Amino acid sequence: MSEISRRKLITGGIAVAAGASAVAVAVKLAQRHGLIPPDAGVFYGPGETLTYAAQRLLNRHAMAREFSRDQISANPFANEVDPLGDEFKHLQAANFVDWKVTVDGMAARPTTFSLAEIKSFPTNSQITMIGCEEGWTYIAEWTGVPLSYILDRVGALPQVRYVVYRSFQHGWWESIDMADALHPQTVLATGMNGSELPVPFGGPVRLRVPRQLGYKSIKYINHLTLTDNPKPFGKGGTGGSASDAGYAWYAGI
Ligand SMILES: Nc1nc2c(c(=O)[nH]1)N[C@H]1C(S)=C(S)[C@@H](COP(=O)(O)O)O[C@H]1N2
Ligand SMILES: [Mo]
Protein backbone atom coordinates (compact mmCIF):
# COMPACT_ATOMS: atom_id res chain seq x y z
CA MET A 1 0.00 0.00 0.00
CA SER A 2 1.38 3.43 -0.84
CA GLU A 3 2.19 5.91 1.92
CA ILE A 4 -0.63 8.16 0.78
CA SER A 5 -3.34 5.54 0.83
CA ARG A 6 -2.05 4.31 4.18
CA ARG A 7 -2.26 7.84 5.51
CA LYS A 8 -5.79 8.22 4.15
CA LEU A 9 -6.81 5.02 5.92
CA ILE A 10 -5.36 6.22 9.19
CA THR A 11 -6.97 9.63 8.81
CA GLY A 12 -10.27 8.01 7.86
CA GLY A 13 -9.97 5.76 10.90
CA ILE A 14 -9.45 8.70 13.20
CA ALA A 15 -12.40 10.54 11.68
CA VAL A 16 -14.70 7.52 12.07
CA ALA A 17 -13.57 6.84 15.63
CA ALA A 18 -13.84 10.47 16.67
CA GLY A 19 -17.15 11.06 14.96
CA ALA A 20 -17.92 13.85 12.52
CA SER A 21 -18.60 16.46 15.23
CA ALA A 22 -15.23 15.87 16.91
CA VAL A 23 -13.58 16.41 13.53
CA ALA A 24 -15.46 19.70 13.21
CA VAL A 25 -14.17 20.77 16.64
CA ALA A 26 -10.64 19.79 15.69
CA VAL A 27 -10.91 21.79 12.47
CA LYS A 28 -12.08 24.84 14.49
CA LEU A 29 -9.10 24.40 16.80
CA ALA A 30 -6.81 24.12 13.80
CA GLN A 31 -8.27 27.34 12.39
CA ARG A 32 -7.75 29.15 15.69
CA HIS A 33 -4.07 28.13 15.71
CA GLY A 34 -3.56 28.95 12.05
CA LEU A 35 -2.86 25.29 11.29
CA ILE A 36 -4.59 25.23 7.94
CA PRO A 37 -2.71 23.74 5.01
CA PRO A 38 -2.84 25.90 1.86
CA ASP A 39 -4.76 23.23 -0.06
CA ALA A 40 -7.54 22.96 2.55
CA GLY A 41 -10.94 23.16 0.95
CA VAL A 42 -9.56 22.63 -2.54
CA PHE A 43 -9.06 18.90 -3.07
CA TYR A 44 -8.84 17.79 0.54
CA GLY A 45 -11.37 18.10 3.30
CA PRO A 46 -11.33 18.23 7.10
CA GLY A 47 -9.49 14.90 7.38
CA GLU A 48 -6.35 16.28 5.74
CA THR A 49 -6.54 19.44 7.82
CA LEU A 50 -6.83 17.30 10.92
CA THR A 51 -3.74 15.26 9.99
CA TYR A 52 -1.73 18.43 9.48
CA ALA A 53 -3.03 20.11 12.64
CA ALA A 54 -2.42 17.00 14.77
CA GLN A 55 1.14 16.72 13.44
CA ARG A 56 1.79 20.40 14.10
CA LEU A 57 0.34 20.39 17.63
CA LEU A 58 2.00 17.14 18.71
CA ASN A 59 5.04 16.59 16.52
CA ARG A 60 6.41 20.02 15.63
CA HIS A 61 9.92 19.17 16.76
CA ALA A 62 9.97 15.45 16.00
CA MET A 63 12.91 14.18 13.99
CA ALA A 64 12.64 11.93 10.98
CA ARG A 65 14.09 8.52 11.81
CA GLU A 66 17.81 8.23 11.18
CA PHE A 67 19.47 4.98 10.16
CA SER A 68 22.92 3.51 10.59
CA ARG A 69 25.52 3.55 7.84
CA ASP A 70 25.12 -0.19 7.12
CA GLN A 71 21.43 0.38 6.36
CA ILE A 72 22.19 2.69 3.40
CA SER A 73 20.58 1.22 0.28
CA ALA A 74 23.08 -0.43 -2.05
CA ASN A 75 21.04 0.47 -5.13
CA PRO A 76 19.08 3.66 -4.48
CA PHE A 77 16.35 4.26 -7.02
CA ALA A 78 16.41 7.61 -8.80
CA ASN A 79 12.93 8.47 -9.98
CA GLU A 80 12.98 9.32 -13.66
CA VAL A 81 12.77 13.02 -14.47
CA ASP A 82 11.68 14.75 -17.66
CA PRO A 83 14.57 15.77 -19.97
CA LEU A 84 16.51 18.62 -18.37
CA GLY A 85 17.34 20.42 -21.63
CA ASP A 86 20.39 22.04 -23.24
CA GLU A 87 20.83 24.84 -20.73
CA PHE A 88 21.13 22.28 -17.94
CA LYS A 89 23.58 20.21 -20.01
CA HIS A 90 25.80 23.26 -20.49
CA LEU A 91 25.76 24.00 -16.77
CA GLN A 92 26.55 20.36 -16.04
CA ALA A 93 29.42 20.27 -18.56
CA ALA A 94 31.00 23.16 -16.64
CA ASN A 95 30.62 21.29 -13.36
CA PHE A 96 27.79 23.66 -12.34
CA VAL A 97 30.17 26.57 -11.59
CA ASP A 98 27.47 28.92 -12.91
CA TRP A 99 24.61 27.32 -10.93
CA LYS A 100 22.80 29.95 -8.86
CA VAL A 101 20.25 29.76 -6.07
CA THR A 102 18.22 32.96 -5.69
CA VAL A 103 16.57 33.65 -2.35
CA ASP A 104 14.00 36.44 -2.47
CA GLY A 105 10.64 37.53 -1.06
CA MET A 106 10.28 38.57 2.57
CA ALA A 107 13.96 38.94 3.37
CA ALA A 108 16.05 41.85 4.63
CA ARG A 109 18.89 40.80 2.30
CA PRO A 110 17.59 38.92 -0.75
CA THR A 111 20.60 37.18 -2.26
CA THR A 112 21.64 35.10 -5.24
CA PHE A 113 24.15 32.51 -4.08
CA SER A 114 26.60 30.65 -6.28
CA LEU A 115 26.94 26.91 -5.85
CA ALA A 116 30.42 27.48 -4.38
CA GLU A 117 28.92 29.78 -1.72
CA ILE A 118 26.21 27.23 -0.89
CA LYS A 119 28.90 24.58 -0.50
CA SER A 120 31.02 26.83 1.72
CA PHE A 121 28.27 27.06 4.35
CA PRO A 122 28.16 24.79 7.44
CA THR A 123 26.62 21.41 6.64
CA ASN A 124 25.11 18.51 8.45
CA SER A 125 24.55 14.93 7.36
CA GLN A 126 21.64 12.61 7.93
CA ILE A 127 20.92 9.03 7.00
CA THR A 128 17.20 9.02 6.29
CA MET A 129 14.64 7.27 4.13
CA ILE A 130 12.99 8.84 1.11
CA GLY A 131 9.66 7.42 0.04
CA CYS A 132 7.67 8.01 -3.11
CA GLU A 133 3.89 8.21 -2.95
CA GLU A 134 4.00 5.31 -5.41
CA GLY A 135 5.36 3.04 -2.72
CA TRP A 136 9.13 2.53 -3.08
CA THR A 137 11.73 3.82 -0.65
CA TYR A 138 15.48 3.94 -0.20
CA ILE A 139 17.86 5.00 2.55
CA ALA A 140 20.78 7.36 1.86
CA GLU A 141 23.06 9.81 3.56
CA TRP A 142 22.42 13.41 2.53
CA THR A 143 24.79 16.28 3.28
CA GLY A 144 23.81 19.90 2.99
CA VAL A 145 23.38 23.31 4.55
CA PRO A 146 20.34 23.57 6.82
CA LEU A 147 17.64 25.72 5.22
CA SER A 148 17.43 27.56 8.56
CA TYR A 149 21.00 28.80 8.00
CA ILE A 150 20.02 30.22 4.59
CA LEU A 151 16.95 31.92 6.09
CA ASP A 152 19.11 33.46 8.78
CA ARG A 153 21.71 34.56 6.25
CA VAL A 154 19.18 36.47 4.10
CA GLY A 155 17.42 37.95 7.13
CA ALA A 156 14.02 36.26 6.84
CA LEU A 157 11.39 38.70 8.10
CA PRO A 158 9.17 37.70 11.06
CA GLN A 159 6.05 37.54 8.89
CA VAL A 160 7.43 34.71 6.72
CA ARG A 161 5.16 31.67 7.08
CA TYR A 162 6.18 29.54 4.10
CA VAL A 163 9.20 28.87 1.96
CA VAL A 164 8.37 28.32 -1.71
CA TYR A 165 11.10 26.39 -3.53
CA ARG A 166 11.44 25.94 -7.27
CA SER A 167 13.36 23.68 -9.58
CA PHE A 168 15.32 24.55 -12.67
CA GLN A 169 12.91 22.01 -14.15
CA HIS A 170 9.90 24.03 -15.18
CA GLY A 171 6.73 23.29 -13.24
CA TRP A 172 8.34 21.51 -10.28
CA TRP A 173 7.93 23.50 -7.09
CA GLU A 174 6.65 23.06 -3.54
CA SER A 175 6.24 24.99 -0.33
CA ILE A 176 6.69 24.12 3.35
CA ASP A 177 5.72 25.92 6.54
CA MET A 178 8.21 27.23 9.08
CA ALA A 179 8.06 24.10 11.26
CA ASP A 180 9.63 22.20 8.36
CA ALA A 181 11.69 25.11 6.96
CA LEU A 182 13.48 25.64 10.30
CA HIS A 183 13.70 21.93 11.10
CA PRO A 184 17.31 20.79 11.54
CA GLN A 185 16.91 17.91 9.06
CA THR A 186 15.62 20.15 6.24
CA VAL A 187 18.72 20.84 4.15
CA LEU A 188 19.78 22.15 0.78
CA ALA A 189 21.63 18.95 -0.06
CA THR A 190 24.70 19.01 -2.27
CA GLY A 191 26.10 15.64 -1.24
CA MET A 192 24.82 12.08 -1.15
CA ASN A 193 26.49 8.98 0.29
CA GLY A 194 29.80 10.80 0.69
CA SER A 195 30.00 12.10 -2.91
CA GLU A 196 28.62 15.03 -4.88
CA LEU A 197 24.85 14.75 -5.25
CA PRO A 198 24.44 12.91 -8.59
CA VAL A 199 22.28 14.57 -11.25
CA PRO A 200 19.65 11.78 -11.32
CA PHE A 201 19.14 12.39 -7.59
CA GLY A 202 18.77 16.16 -8.01
CA GLY A 203 22.35 17.42 -8.24
CA PRO A 204 23.76 19.95 -7.90
CA VAL A 205 21.22 21.07 -5.24
CA ARG A 206 18.14 19.43 -3.85
CA LEU A 207 15.93 20.46 -0.96
CA ARG A 208 15.75 17.42 1.28
CA VAL A 209 12.63 17.46 3.49
CA PRO A 210 12.88 14.13 5.30
CA ARG A 211 9.71 14.51 7.35
CA GLN A 212 7.57 14.47 4.22
CA LEU A 213 7.08 12.19 1.22
CA GLY A 214 9.60 12.24 -1.62
CA TYR A 215 7.66 14.63 -3.79
CA LYS A 216 8.44 17.46 -1.35
CA SER A 217 12.21 16.86 -1.87
CA ILE A 218 12.49 18.90 -5.07
CA LYS A 219 15.57 18.39 -7.26
CA TYR A 220 17.63 21.03 -9.16
CA ILE A 221 16.76 23.88 -6.80
CA ASN A 222 17.51 27.34 -8.16
CA HIS A 223 14.98 29.63 -6.47
CA LEU A 224 13.57 30.06 -2.95
CA THR A 225 10.92 32.65 -2.09
CA LEU A 226 9.97 33.59 1.47
CA THR A 227 6.30 34.44 1.74
CA ASP A 228 3.28 34.65 4.02
CA ASN A 229 1.05 33.01 1.40
CA PRO A 230 2.02 30.35 -1.16
CA LYS A 231 -1.36 30.31 -2.90
CA PRO A 232 -0.57 32.86 -5.65
CA PHE A 233 2.33 30.66 -6.85
CA GLY A 234 1.56 28.13 -9.55
CA LYS A 235 -1.79 27.54 -11.19
CA GLY A 236 -3.90 25.61 -8.71
CA GLY A 237 -3.58 27.81 -5.62
CA THR A 238 -2.67 24.83 -3.42
CA GLY A 239 0.95 25.68 -2.57
CA GLY A 240 2.79 23.15 -4.70
CA SER A 241 3.01 21.27 -7.97
CA ALA A 242 2.08 17.94 -6.36
CA SER A 243 -0.94 19.42 -4.55
CA ASP A 244 -1.96 21.22 -7.76
CA ALA A 245 -2.00 17.71 -9.27
CA GLY A 246 -4.25 16.32 -6.53
CA TYR A 247 -1.82 15.05 -3.87
CA ALA A 248 -1.86 16.45 -0.33
CA TRP A 249 0.17 19.64 0.18
CA TYR A 250 1.16 18.34 3.61
CA ALA A 251 2.79 14.97 3.00
CA GLY A 252 4.10 14.29 6.51
CA ILE A 253 5.31 10.79 7.30
N1 LIG B 1 12.73 18.60 -10.07
C1 LIG B 1 12.14 17.45 -9.69
N2 LIG B 1 12.10 17.12 -8.38
C2 LIG B 1 11.51 15.96 -7.99
C3 LIG B 1 10.88 15.11 -8.95
C4 LIG B 1 10.99 15.47 -10.33
O1 LIG B 1 10.52 14.75 -11.24
N3 LIG B 1 11.61 16.65 -10.66
N4 LIG B 1 10.22 13.97 -8.51
C5 LIG B 1 9.77 13.99 -7.11
C6 LIG B 1 9.22 12.72 -6.64
S1 LIG B 1 7.63 12.35 -7.09
C7 LIG B 1 9.92 11.90 -5.78
S2 LIG B 1 9.22 10.53 -5.10
C8 LIG B 1 11.33 12.16 -5.47
C9 LIG B 1 12.17 10.98 -5.94
O2 LIG B 1 13.48 11.10 -5.47
P1 LIG B 1 14.64 10.18 -6.05
O3 LIG B 1 14.78 10.42 -7.51
O4 LIG B 1 15.85 10.52 -5.26
O5 LIG B 1 14.22 8.76 -5.82
O6 LIG B 1 11.82 13.36 -6.08
C10 LIG B 1 10.90 14.41 -6.18
N5 LIG B 1 11.53 15.62 -6.68
MO1 LIG C 1 7.16 10.38 -6.08
Side-chain angles (χ1 to χ4, degrees):
M1 191 185 304
S2 79
E3 280 298 318
I4 284 202
S5 49
R6 189 174 63 83
R7 245 162 40 79
K8 281 220 180 97
L9 255 183
I10 293 168
T11 311
I14 291 169
V16 169
S21 64
V23 173
V25 170
V27 169
K28 264 204 195 112
L29 260 178
Q31 265 155 359
R32 190 170 307 152
H33 291 277
L35 298 171
I36 303 296
D39 61 346
V42 184
F43 294 109
Y44 287 86
E48 296 295 324
T49 299
L50 183 57
T51 307
Y52 174 70
Q55 289 264 4
R56 283 296 170 260
L57 289 169
L58 303 172
N59 276 341
R60 186 176 284 265
H61 303 292
M63 302 290 275
R65 182 178 168 197
E66 302 216 8
F67 296 81
S68 60
R69 190 146 273 123
D70 61 352
Q71 290 173 295
I72 290 175
S73 305
N75 296 300
F77 179 76
N79 207 2
E80 204 179 322
V81 294
D82 295 333
L84 291 161
D86 286 345
E87 199 187 336
F88 187 92
K89 279 190 200 139
H90 286 131
L91 288 161
Q92 185 176 4
N95 213 8
F96 297 116
V97 286
D98 290 324
W99 191 271
K100 303 272 191 290
V101 180
T102 295
V103 188
D104 58 16
M106 295 175 151
R109 298 174 295 278
T111 311
T112 295
F113 297 106
S114 68
L115 183 61
E117 280 175 292
I118 300 267
K119 285 183 174 172
S120 74
F121 296 151
T123 59
N124 65 36
S125 293
Q126 49 168 298
I127 302 174
T128 51
M129 180 184 278
I130 185 165
C132 175
E133 75 291 351
E134 287 169 10
W136 47 265
T137 61
Y138 66 85
I139 294 168
E141 179 176 42
W142 281 275
T143 301
V145 54
L147 182 58
S148 64
Y149 179 89
I150 302 284
L151 297 195
D152 190 44
R153 185 105 188 171
V154 300
L157 301 180
Q159 58 266 43
V160 175
R161 289 191 58 206
Y162 300 92
V163 176
V164 170
Y165 46 106
R166 274 166 283 191
S167 174
F168 179 94
Q169 223 186 354
H170 185 73
W172 284 90
W173 69 283
E174 287 296 330
S175 62
I176 46 175
D177 68 6
M178 297 314 273
D180 271 321
L182 299 176
H183 191 275
Q185 290 171 311
T186 299
V187 300
L188 270 182
T190 51
M192 185 175 156
N193 294 337
S195 306
E196 302 273 292
L197 182 66
V199 167
F201 293 96
V205 189
R206 169 183 213 171
L207 190 70
R208 182 70 186 109
V209 187
R211 297 200 312 172
Q212 297 202 40
L213 282 175
Y215 64 73
K216 299 296 276 195
S217 288
I218 293 285
K219 310 180 194 192
Y220 323 114
I221 292 289
N222 64 358
H223 196 166
L224 309 175
T225 301
L226 316 187
T227 182
D228 58 356
N229 178 16
K231 290 190 183 190
F233 296 82
K235 295 197 182 89
T238 68
S241 44
S243 45
D244 277 0
Y247 295 98
W249 170 81
Y250 182 67
I253 43 177

